[in-house]
Amino acid sequence: MHPRVKPALRRGWRDLNTVQFGMAPAHAMVLGPMDTATGSLLNLLDGTRGLPLLRDEARGMGLPDGHVDGLVERLAGAGLLDDATGGGPAVDALREKHKVMDRLRPDLASLSLVARGPGDAPRRLAARRSLRVQVRGAGRVGTVIAATLAGAGVGHVDVRDGGCVEPWDVAPGGLPVESIGERRDEAARRAVHRAAPDRPPRRGGAKSTEEEQPGLSLVVVAPRDGLAVHAPDPAVSEPLIDSGTPHLYAGVVEGTGIVGPLVLPGDTACAGCLDLGRTDRDPTWPRLVAQWRSGRTRDVQACDLALSAAVAGLAAGHALAFLDGETPTSTGARWEVSVPGFHWHAEPVWQHPACTCAAAERAKGEHTSDDERPHETMSGQQPHAARLSGTWRAHV
């Protein structure tokens, strides 16, 4: 082990005996008491020395035997320590790609803030390279999501869409102006390729042409038609439910951005639950949806760049959190934001007992009083709309 104090957190002395790691409250931590000699030893925990050399250095500083091991154990327990050589063969292979690691260094630093154990952050980063994500939609939102996921190290990002690129599909970080007139899916895949820091590792076996083939870690549904994310058709998501494929909705409708729900089939609310719940609250809902779906408009939909960028960024962040093994707050909830105020808020999407996805049956009796709050803003903690009965992880 080559111990390294996580460099993502800036360090400062609050007083002569107390050290603060980090500035922002979300991840900052205070440790004490700590004498000045131990504080000097912290500077040596930079990943260039193994434990035997650190013990020798500590003796030269007049520190007693066992002091280094105790400090390392204490820092590791607080989630403040990394291992510059740990992580396993996949991490070693990634470290050898110096240019790739330079591209991903900010992402690795960010992962170190949430992956507590030494070596956990590079392991998560290396695991992303084997994940397979499909983005359905190559507009201002979908292409940016796909490019962001690829740029963050997700190895296999495919984009599905039809038609050709229109001038209004162009967006910074997404489809370039040079792609106007080209096939949307091909242009989006080139954008993904440009964003990726590395070629994806080869996968064994024959390549299937089925959209719900085994091995999909996540499907991001980001349609160019805002109606398809505002009121997603349950029939369209049935293959995803049947195959057990996690999927996340994201898009813009009439100046409102939507991220969620993240659907974990059989555990959390799906598009069918959303549709049935709305019908319970508003009996005219099915009539309205039928009219909206049958009345196709040829007008360009409202989707300004700032809003689409905000939606794409939040959706990509929630997707990455899920792929890394976390449970983002879009699980069983929809985050919404509208122009011009850009005030994010979340609405829970409950499992419906009449839905064929059967999520309500599994979640029965698992809601708590905290879950009954109607919504929380981005400044508060959003409760998950469902208590997961199992542990969901992205498929490697």
Side-chain angles (χ1 to χ4, degrees), residues 35-48:
D35 56 70
T36 54
T38 303
S40 299
L41 185 60
L42 287 176
N43 296 325
L44 303 181
L45 301 181
D46 58 3
T48 63

Side-chain angles (χ1 to χ4, degrees), residues 25 46 104 118 140 165 186 210 220 223 238 270 353 364 391:
D46 58 3
L104 294 173
R140 284 187 164 188
V165 178
E186 293 180 357
E210 293 294 326
V220 180
E238 280 183 5
C270 67
K364 188 180 295 182
T391 301

Side-chain angles (χ1 to χ4, degrees), residues 20 25 30 41 70 105 121 128 130 150 164 171 191 197 225 229 233 240 244 257 298 324-325 331 336 344 366:
Q20 177 171 320
V30 174
L41 185 60
R105 207 167 297 281
R128 288 181 181 180
S130 299
C164 296
D225 181 359
V229 71
D233 187 348
L240 295 172
R298 296 184 180 180
D324 292 336
T331 308
E336 297 185 2
W344 285 99
E366 294 182 357

Side-chain angles (χ1 to χ4, degrees), residues 47 56-57 61 75 99 106 145 160 196 222 228 282 315 323 342-343 352 360 386 390:
D56 291 341
E57 298 261 16
M61 298 167 62
L75 292 171
K99 291 183 178 179
I145 292 174
R160 302 291 179 92
D282 181 4
L323 294 172
F342 283 88
H343 174 73
H352 198 283

Side-chain angles (χ1 to χ4, degrees), residues 136 221 223 226-241 247 249 270-275 278 285 289 293 296:
R136 298 184 180 180
V221 183
L227 174 61
V229 71
H230 176 64
D233 187 348
V236 174
S237 63
E238 280 183 5
L240 295 172
I241 298 293
H247 47 288
Y249 292 93
C270 67
C273 297
L274 176 64
D275 187 61
R278 282 169 157 170
W285 174 255
V289 173
R293 289 176 180 160
R296 296 287 182 178

Side-chain angles (χ1 to χ4, degrees), residues 34-212:
M34 187 173 295
D35 56 70
T36 54
T38 303
S40 299
L41 185 60
L42 287 176
N43 296 325
L44 303 181
L45 301 181
D46 58 3
T48 63
R49 303 168 179 82
L51 284 173
L53 181 55
L54 285 170
R55 294 182 186 115
D56 291 341
E57 298 261 16
R59 292 190 193 99
M61 298 167 62
L63 295 170
D65 289 343
H67 194 83
V68 167
D69 297 84
L71 177 62
V72 166
E73 182 178 354
R74 186 180 179 192
L75 292 171
L80 296 171
L81 197 71
D82 213 339
D83 181 1
T85 59
V91 176
D92 292 338
L94 185 58
R95 285 196 184 104
E96 293 177 0
K97 298 175 176 288
H98 300 293
K99 291 183 178 179
V100 175
M101 283 301 298
D102 285 342
R103 286 276 303 274
L104 294 173
R105 207 167 297 281
D107 302 270
L108 178 61
S110 180
L111 278 172
S112 74
L113 300 177
V114 294
R116 291 178 59 84
D120 286 350
R123 269 192 292 269
R124 289 193 183 189
L125 190 64
R128 288 181 181 180
R129 301 183 72 234
S130 299
L131 300 179
R132 184 167 178 267
V133 175
Q134 183 183 100
V135 178
R136 298 184 180 180
R140 284 187 164 188
V141 174
T143 306
V144 176
I145 292 174
T148 302
L149 294 178
V154 177
H156 304 266
V157 182
D158 186 32
V159 186
R160 302 291 179 92
D161 206 341
C164 296
V165 178
E166 301 286 357
W168 48 85
D169 293 324
V170 172
L175 295 173
V177 67
E178 296 82 13
S179 66
I180 294 174
E182 298 177 353
R183 287 185 44 156
R184 276 198 185 91
D185 54 356
E186 293 180 357
R189 287 165 189 159
R190 282 196 296 273
V192 167
H193 179 74
R194 287 192 299 268
D198 188 24
R199 280 186 173 184
R202 292 185 178 181
R203 302 173 66 88
K207 184 178 179 181
S208 172
T209 59
E210 293 294 326
E211 290 187 338
E212 290 77 41

Side-chain angles (χ1 to χ4, degrees), residues 350 367-374 376 383 387:
W350 304 111
H367 296 306
T368 67
S369 59
D370 286 342
D371 293 317
E372 299 303 322
R373 291 179 291 177
E376 292 282 347
R387 298 295 185 189

